[in-house]
Amino acid sequence: MSQQQSPGTSEHLGEAGILARLLTHVPGGDRVEVGPGDDAAVVDLPGTRLVITTDTMVEGFDFLAHTTCPRWIGHKAAVQNLADVAAMGARPIALVAAVSMPADTPVDWFEQVTEGLTRRAREDGAQLVGGDLGRADRPTLTITAVGALREGERAVLRSGARPRDVLAIGSPALGRSAAGLAAVLSGRVQVKGDGTVLIAPGTGGTPAAPPSHPATTPLDPALLTQLEGLVAWHNAPDPDLSLGWASGRAATAMMDLSDGLVRDGGRIAVASGVQVDLDATALGGDVDALAVPASVLDADPWDWVLHGGEEHAMLATFAPGAVPQGFRVIGVIREHVGQPAPRVLLDGEPITGEGFDHFG
């Protein structure tokens, strides 16, 4: 064995050795006719129409290694792909994962990512059925999710919203992911490799504050608990995706909330040729719930609620009086009067900011 190689690194075990360890975390299932180990998987679909999506997470762009842990990375990779399938009104069936890492990556990293991925997928009835391992300069995960629509089921598109519909969200709270990201980026909290969230060392229990707001007292224990939950939600969001293929199928339009309420609401508005008017009163509770961490982090909670992404809850429009359980109304759909009228309003007024853009 080379002196540069560690028994616990991918460089030492090689692709076959890594796969042998990972497959212990990938159980089979009734629908998996051929699983990992052959050139491709064979999966029995419960319908005749395939729903398929893919997404990539790259370290340094989509996650920061020092602000998360491998198990959370796998969990989040599963959620963001399963959410896209669910938002079409389809039931997730399978995932395929392509993972590329530096050669000296500990094999435990691969295992923990696989554990997080498979555990979250199982919650929604999906299974990891195969993938690819490769070498790259930085950690990269590409996930392809497969779902199915049963005979006679229509796909729920973004383009079906109609004036006088209501806009609803399949989540009890918004802005949590953005708040969690702000917490780790502030340096006030740290994330250990096992997902434990801690106050940053060297602060004596009082995390460093911006120069204009010097910290003089330790954080309240209740606030610490809230920050821990926000950081965990950002790194491993846990929305109820079953709303997509269950009650959400009654929606006139639907997508998952990935890039912020204003940006994604605008996508529904553009696709449907309408205008979205958000209700400040309906969103007030979300803002109030984040007021204390926002004050500590020198942030505006409205910005988190309106523009914070990576929630992955179902964002949908319904006919008035037809909003199913699990969704709550946060706005209304109006006629679009044409350019240059904005696509998304808050109580009838334009909103500053646009949300996340990969190339913005």
Side-chain angles (χ1 to χ4, degrees), residues 281-330:
T281 300
L283 295 172
D286 304 78
V287 173
D288 291 344
L290 297 172
V292 174
S295 66
V296 171
L297 297 171
D298 198 29
D300 181 357
W302 273 106
D303 187 60
W304 291 343
V305 170
L306 293 175
H307 301 299
E310 298 188 303
E311 293 286 345
H312 299 296
M314 297 296 102
L315 180 66
T317 60
F318 298 93
V323 179
Q325 186 174 0
F327 287 89
R328 60 187 177 101
V329 176
I330 58 171

Side-chain angles (χ1 to χ4, degrees), residues 227-360:
L227 287 175
E228 289 173 356
L230 295 173
V231 171
W233 188 270
H234 168 69
N235 284 307
D238 202 26
D240 184 358
L241 301 184
S242 69
L243 293 173
W245 64 82
S247 59
R249 289 197 50 77
T252 54
M254 187 161 60
M255 66 179 297
D256 79 296
L257 186 61
S258 57
D259 293 331
L261 189 55
V262 173
R263 181 170 289 277
D264 288 337
R267 286 169 170 151
I268 289 178
V270 170
S272 300
V274 297
Q275 188 176 58
V276 171
D277 193 356
L278 300 173
D279 185 338
T281 300
L283 295 172
D286 304 78
V287 173
D288 291 344
L290 297 172
V292 174
S295 66
V296 171
L297 297 171
D298 198 29
D300 181 357
W302 273 106
D303 187 60
W304 291 343
V305 170
L306 293 175
H307 301 299
E310 298 188 303
E311 293 286 345
H312 299 296
M314 297 296 102
L315 180 66
T317 60
F318 298 93
V323 179
Q325 186 174 0
F327 287 89
R328 60 187 177 101
V329 176
I330 58 171
V332 296
I333 305 301
R334 305 192 186 284
E335 291 187 8
H336 183 238
V337 297
Q339 298 296 340
R343 289 292 188 169
V344 182
L345 305 171
L346 180 65
D347 284 350
E349 297 295 328
I351 300 171
T352 302
E354 295 184 0
F356 180 76
D357 185 333
H358 281 281
F359 297 97

Side-chain angles (χ1 to χ4, degrees), residues 31-304:
R31 296 194 179 279
V32 183
E33 183 178 328
V34 179
D38 225 298
D39 287 317
V42 179
V43 180
D44 178 31
L45 296 179
T48 58
R49 298 163 70 207
L50 183 70
V51 177
I52 188 166
T53 185
T54 192
D55 207 337
T56 297
M57 293 177 64
V58 180
E59 198 278 329
F61 294 94
D62 301 292
F63 66 92
L64 301 173
H66 70 282
T67 67
T68 186
C69 68
R71 175 170 48 83
W72 280 349
I73 293 171
H75 175 114
K76 191 171 188 175
V79 167
Q80 66 183 22
N81 284 274
L82 295 170
D84 284 336
V85 171
M88 300 298 291
R91 185 179 295 271
I93 302 299
L95 297 174
V96 177
V99 182
S100 297
M101 296 292 297
D104 60 352
T105 301
V107 177
D108 284 351
W109 193 97
F110 289 92
E111 288 192 276
Q112 291 175 40
V113 168
T114 304
E115 288 176 11
L117 183 68
T118 56
R119 184 180 298 120
R120 187 56 180 83
R122 283 198 301 270
E123 292 181 16
D124 291 310
Q127 294 171 275
L128 180 63
V129 298
D132 181 63
L133 288 177
R135 184 167 172 172
D137 292 333
R138 67 174 69 200
T140 303
L141 287 80
T142 298
I143 308 296
T144 298
V146 176
L149 292 166
R150 296 184 184 277
E151 190 68 32
E153 286 184 337
R154 68 178 180 91
V156 185
L157 309 180
R158 303 177 182 182
S159 55
R162 302 163 299 193
R164 292 175 293 281
D165 279 354
V166 296
L167 180 72
I169 187 71
S171 172
L174 291 176
R176 288 178 289 180
S177 181
L181 176 61
V184 293
L185 293 181
S186 73
R188 295 170 181 267
V189 296
Q190 281 189 341
V191 179
K192 295 179 63 178
D194 62 357
T196 303
V197 180
L198 302 171
I199 289 295
T203 62
T206 306
S212 60
H213 294 75
T216 57
T217 59
L219 294 182
D220 179 79
L223 175 57
L224 289 178
T225 299
Q226 185 180 14
L227 287 175
E228 289 173 356
L230 295 173
V231 171
W233 188 270
H234 168 69
N235 284 307
D238 202 26
D240 184 358
L241 301 184
S242 69
L243 293 173
W245 64 82
S247 59
R249 289 197 50 77
T252 54
M254 187 161 60
M255 66 179 297
D256 79 296
L257 186 61
S258 57
D259 293 331
L261 189 55
V262 173
R263 181 170 289 277
D264 288 337
R267 286 169 170 151
I268 289 178
V270 170
S272 300
V274 297
Q275 188 176 58
V276 171
D277 193 356
L278 300 173
D279 185 338
T281 300
L283 295 172
D286 304 78
V287 173
D288 291 344
L290 297 172
V292 174
S295 66
V296 171
L297 297 171
D298 198 29
D300 181 357
W302 273 106
D303 187 60
W304 291 343

